[in-house]
Amino acid sequence: MSGGALQYWKDFEGKIEPGSVEEQLLDQLDPERMPSHIAIIMDGNGRWARSRKLLRVQGHRAGIESVREVVETATRLNLQVLTLYAFSIENWKRPVDEVSTLMKLLRKYLNIELKTLMENDIRFKVLGRMEGLEEVIQKELREAEAMTTANKGLMFNIALNYGGRAEIVDACRSLCRNLIQSGASPEDLDDQAFASHLYTSGQPDPDLLIRTSGEFRISNFLLWQIAYTEIWFTETMWPDFRKKHLFQAIIDYQKRNRRYGGI
Ligand code: FPP
């Protein structure tokens, strides 16, 4: 076991089989080069279900287990931020039944997992136009945010009724309101000031963006924040995504040379 594995081993004790692929991957992680923020486009639930002759919604249900495992793994790895793309503004185009199942799953997840989030010091936050969701869901989401707001561990963002362009428009609206009120000059505006009006205000930009299911698209996700993010694509469908895939993504990320436009 190398220094990397030693650092994390105690956090994964009892969670990883000795001699397993997971252990070998964990052993390769370099604690000095961990990403602060990982964002994930969870894709492929529908295809996962179809390939098993199941209903699409069963794919979403199976995807919840992946959400649980990724949140737990992110906590054990001591990541600062994890952002999961759960429902885009464009997803309203899906059949009513599918949308309503997704909302039910989200509520059920929160109901069951809130206790675990609290026990693990995880802070929960919604990124997106919450006002566009059903009132009862808004209330539960706001309660979960309020209950976890003082937690100091992992920042767990769920992008819900989210669109990257909508986020930028919302930031512009908030910024204009501020400018009008304060009388400040538009020339005072810079990248940092703009970013402070985004849903992710105060959080580091994602270092690593993962998309599952073999699709190579950004799908209107965190458009501002991913300017210099490293992207990792996998053929794995979201319901099959497990900690070993997260380890693989991080190992690959740690081999990259991030130049931010320099040489
Ligand atoms: C994409 O698969 C997945 C979604 C649109 C929803 C993801 C939601 C969950 C895993 C459940 C709820 C989430 C949380 C955070 C509790 P797709 O339906 O687009 O799959 P396809 O491309 O194969 O059709």
Side-chain angles (χ1 to χ4, degrees):
M1 207 183 290
S2 76
L6 275 178
Q7 162 110 6
Y8 293 114
W9 187 243
K10 67 176 169 45
D11 295 318
F12 284 95
E13 216 170 342
K15 294 284 165 187
I16 283 186
E17 286 281 311
S20 63
V21 175
E22 283 86 353
E23 188 197 29
Q24 286 163 23
L25 292 168
L26 186 64
D27 194 33
Q28 292 173 49
L29 291 185
D30 178 355
E32 304 295 327
R33 304 195 65 193
M34 288 302 283
S36 297
H37 182 171
I38 297 183
I40 307 183
I41 302 177
M42 309 181 283
D43 196 11
N45 295 351
R47 277 162 288 159
W48 180 92
R50 211 169 46 224
S51 71
R52 287 164 176 74
K53 303 207 180 336
L54 300 171
L55 300 171
R56 288 180 56 80
V57 292
Q58 290 173 283
H60 297 314
R61 210 162 283 140
I64 293 284
E65 198 40 50
S66 311
V67 171
R68 265 194 211 108
E69 182 153 330
V70 164
V71 172
E72 182 187 329
T73 307
T75 307
R76 291 182 194 283
L77 289 173
N78 219 356
L79 293 190
Q80 210 177 315
V81 188
L82 173 72
T83 301
L84 301 183
Y85 201 2
F87 193 85
S88 72
I89 288 181
E90 291 76 22
N91 285 154
W92 292 109
K93 293 180 201 152
R94 294 186 177 210
V96 178
D97 279 2
E98 182 170 338
V99 171
S100 117
T101 302
L102 276 169
M103 295 300 161
K104 276 193 201 123
L105 282 175
L106 176 80
R107 292 179 70 189
K108 193 168 161 202
Y109 170 85
L110 262 189
N111 237 310
I112 296 174
E113 296 297 314
L114 197 50
K115 192 166 159 271
T116 311
L117 298 185
M118 288 305 290
E119 282 166 1
N120 289 283
D121 207 19
I122 297 170
R123 186 166 169 197
F124 172 80
K125 183 174 166 61
V126 175
L127 310 182
R129 291 183 170 165
M130 233 209 278
E131 65 280 9
L133 299 171
E134 222 181 297
E135 279 202 15
V136 58
I137 303 179
Q138 283 186 47
K139 183 170 167 283
E140 288 171 6
L141 291 168
R142 286 189 213 284
E143 278 169 5
E145 284 186 337
M147 195 183 281
T148 61
T149 192
N151 289 349
K152 297 281 181 279
L154 177 74
M155 174 91 232
F156 173 30
N157 297 317
I158 291 192
L160 252 185
N161 197 23
Y162 176 90
R165 289 181 175 176
E167 179 179 22
I168 292 172
V169 169
D170 287 350
C172 288
R173 287 177 179 161
S174 154
L175 201 95
C176 290
R177 279 193 293 270
N178 267 21
L179 278 186
I180 292 165
Q181 263 173 19
S182 68
S185 157
E187 312 311 320
D188 295 337
L189 182 62
D190 59 14
D191 287 13
Q192 238 183 326
F194 185 82
S196 72
H197 290 266
L198 294 168
Y199 306 143
T200 50
S201 170
Q203 302 182 15
D205 288 339
D207 299 295
L208 174 61
L209 170 67
I210 297 172
R211 182 171 190 146
T212 59
S213 89
E215 302 287 354
F216 300 94
R217 283 189 293 278
I218 296 302
S219 299
N220 201 12
F221 191 39
L222 301 175
L223 295 181
W224 172 280
Q225 296 89 334
I226 61 168
Y228 282 103
T229 298
E230 297 295 326
I231 308 183
W232 191 78
F233 296 104
T234 173
E235 295 284 325
T236 305
M237 300 290 156
W238 179 250
D240 290 329
F241 194 91
R242 289 293 175 269
K243 58 170 93 62
K244 72 170 179 195
H245 301 105
L246 194 61
F247 293 161
Q248 282 166 348
I250 299 172
I251 290 165
D252 192 68
Y253 161 84
Q254 291 184 332
K255 289 183 188 142
R256 301 190 191 179
N257 178 14
R258 302 182 76 187
R259 291 190 295 276
Y260 301 94
I263 50 169

